[in-house]
Amino acid sequence: MTTRFKRPDPDDLKALLLEGPFSTATEDPGLAPSEPVTPVQLVLTLAQIKAYDHNPRRERNPAYDAIKASVREQRGLNNPFTVTRRPGETLFMVQAGGNTRLAILKELFAETGDAAFNSVQCLYRPWQSETLLLAAHLIENELRGEMTLIDKAYALRELHRQLETEHEIKLTRTALCQRLKALGYSLSRRQLIRFDYAMTLDQLIPHTLRNGLGATGIDQIKATEKAYQRLCQDKTPQFAALFAHTLASCDDEPWDLEAVRRELDKQLAPLLGIPVTRLRQTIDASLFNASADEDWPDDPGQPTATDPKASTTLDQSTAHASPTDLYQPPQAATMQPLPTSEAENRLPKISDICPASTPVDTVTPRYPAEPDTPADIHALYERTYGLAHRIARSIHLEQVVVPVSQGLGFIIEKPQAAFTAHATWGLWWLLLGIAEQSVSPERDPLWQHTDLYQLQQDPEGTALQQLVGPAPSVSHYPHEVLQNKAIVPDPVFTDICQLIETCRHIRQHYPSTQLWPSGPP
């Protein structure tokens, strides 16, 4: 006997469609007593949805007003919310981002009373865990690029805590990176250390961090803290508190890392018993030579200056000179090298002084090999002085190059007037660095009779900076000066390369005790 199937009437179809998890916006979704085990579409009202109560974003979305205007114009959202629900709760909760859009819908509904803003299309996903929920919000915000670094740091700390609680284990940074990768959120150990450091800075520069200080800024502060720590170690116990106070006092907008260093140099110089200018040069050298990895240990160890235990008043950190601190005088002149004198044309070549060497007086595609045999020191001094004099003469500063029979054969004196051209400033500082006279106190006898030395002893360093400007930024100097033909023409650049090559030869073949003896030159 064949059973005939009875086609349901419209009322029966409607009843079937409303069974289980399906509902209208005017009815409770009715997911209890058993929640769906697969994603389902829902239409909810705003009263049935709450924001994620551990939202990693702590600051207002900078695009809030623009998003609100778009939602108002469209009278709703283009994309549905993804929601979930904790076991035992009645309200749904945004599951992956959407907190900003939910707040906007509630504002618009309160302002207009338009029902279009109250009815929300949603995709319901079954509850999994607190860890996965937080990770989903982090990933969503990461994709949108909407979170500040400090917000992300606190969210990761909470996620770290949740993972340790759920798995009842202690996670190192390496293990945490592996767990995060399994959740679909890839981070390096170095990034985790940066986030930890940012949270220590939050006690000092909260305004700056919430205005968007990013990874580069955090790394600069960390590197500079370490550089000052190395200098102040065993010299002053006041470093940690002083550093913290200086950093906190500069928590302004716009953030000026260079201002932090200037104030810190001013405060530390008398404590360390050295001039401000020398302190700055020492820190610059330390920053330039520091290893990128030594400042980022694997896991927390001994307290640093940013450790809350390091100061009873303030936590601390520092600031690295801004990449834009390259001196920009009022005018930038194009300087051409002057005709060389007959004496300069007779500069001894290293190939003449040391026959085994490769000539360096012509520009070649690669640097020549250094001589294997030491040359006569006085002939080398004649060469370094002549090259330095010719370089200085190209910018009308030949009077600042003084010959000496020690060191590298020449020293640099102060200019007669303040620099007004970028080329003059850049080449003067370059020659001062090549001469190495201000590298360490042991070399002071070589130039302590000069006016430049007397200027450098000023604790404030104001007069010297007004005369020669600030020291160059190592990150911009090659681009702004050395590789700029308008400032350093090819003949001058060739002389610079030859001068450096000759100084390298001197340092390689003669001991420091011979080059830098104590006493007057």
Side-chain angles (χ1 to χ4, degrees), residues 41-320:
Q41 296 287 337
L42 299 176
V43 179
L44 303 175
T45 64
L46 294 177
Q48 294 171 302
I49 312 171
K50 70 174 183 176
Y52 177 43
D53 44 16
H54 297 297
N55 184 17
R57 176 195 294 282
R58 299 189 176 194
E59 301 303 310
R60 176 185 169 98
N61 191 325
Y64 190 95
D65 292 335
I67 297 173
K68 183 176 180 179
S70 175
V71 174
R72 178 190 289 112
E73 182 178 353
Q74 297 172 148
R75 297 183 66 240
L77 302 177
N78 284 332
N79 300 314
F81 279 133
T82 302
V83 298
T84 189
R85 183 156 60 180
R86 286 192 181 102
E89 293 190 356
T90 57
L91 292 181
F92 295 88
M93 180 169 55
V94 289
Q95 189 259 351
N99 293 284
T100 296
R101 291 179 294 155
L102 179 62
I104 287 172
L105 285 174
K106 290 183 176 181
E107 279 189 14
L108 290 173
F109 182 57
E111 292 169 3
T112 66
D114 189 339
F117 297 121
N118 190 39
S119 180
V120 186
Q121 293 284 341
C122 297
L123 173 64
Y124 172 83
R125 292 188 181 276
W127 173 259
Q128 291 180 292
S129 70
E130 292 288 350
T131 297
L132 290 172
L133 183 60
L134 178 53
H137 279 273
L138 270 171
I139 293 170
E140 178 69 16
N141 281 285
E142 186 79 19
L143 292 174
R144 295 176 180 270
E146 297 174 342
M147 288 181 66
T148 61
L149 186 143
I150 189 61
D151 278 357
K152 196 181 301 181
Y154 281 109
L156 283 166
R157 185 174 71 176
E158 175 62 20
L159 184 55
H160 189 178
R161 185 193 64 79
Q162 288 183 4
L163 282 166
E164 290 185 333
T165 301
E166 286 185 9
H167 297 278
E168 298 182 346
I169 57 173
K170 188 71 175 177
L171 295 174
T172 65
R173 290 194 180 100
T174 301
L176 177 60
C177 288
Q178 295 170 348
R179 296 277 182 173
L180 292 175
K181 186 176 182 180
L183 293 173
Y185 191 66
S186 295
L187 287 176
S188 68
R189 183 177 58 83
R190 182 181 176 87
Q191 287 174 299
L192 291 178
I193 299 172
R194 181 185 293 126
F195 290 135
D196 287 343
Y197 185 71
M199 286 186 287
T200 67
L201 295 180
D202 195 27
Q203 302 175 61
L204 303 174
I205 51 171
H207 182 80
T208 297
L209 290 169
R210 280 155 185 77
N211 273 279
L213 185 67
T216 299
I218 298 296
D219 289 352
Q220 288 174 342
I221 294 176
K222 177 74 171 181
T224 308
E225 177 189 4
K226 291 294 185 181
Y228 279 98
Q229 278 182 328
R230 286 189 289 268
L231 178 64
C232 296
Q233 188 175 12
D234 302 326
K235 294 186 177 101
T236 173
Q238 302 180 41
F239 166 71
L242 178 61
F243 209 22
H245 177 73
T246 303
L247 197 66
S249 65
C250 294
D251 187 25
D252 299 318
E253 187 179 359
W255 171 244
D256 188 354
L257 298 172
E258 177 62 18
V260 175
R261 286 195 61 188
R262 286 196 301 268
E263 181 61 25
L264 191 62
D265 291 345
K266 180 180 177 181
Q267 298 293 330
L268 278 176
L271 295 177
L272 299 176
I274 58 177
V276 169
T277 306
R278 173 161 291 166
L279 192 155
R280 168 54 68 100
Q281 292 172 346
T282 302
I283 295 298
D284 285 342
S286 180
L287 288 168
F288 182 74
N289 294 321
S291 166
D293 291 331
E294 68 177 357
D295 293 331
W296 303 96
D298 181 36
D299 283 299
Q302 296 298 320
T304 65
T306 51
D307 194 302
K309 300 176 183 178
S311 170
T312 56
T313 306
L314 292 167
D315 271 78
Q316 82 19 274
S317 185
T318 175
H320 181 275

Side-chain angles (χ1 to χ4, degrees), residues 35-40 124 126:
E35 300 281 339
V37 294
T38 59
V40 294
Y124 172 83

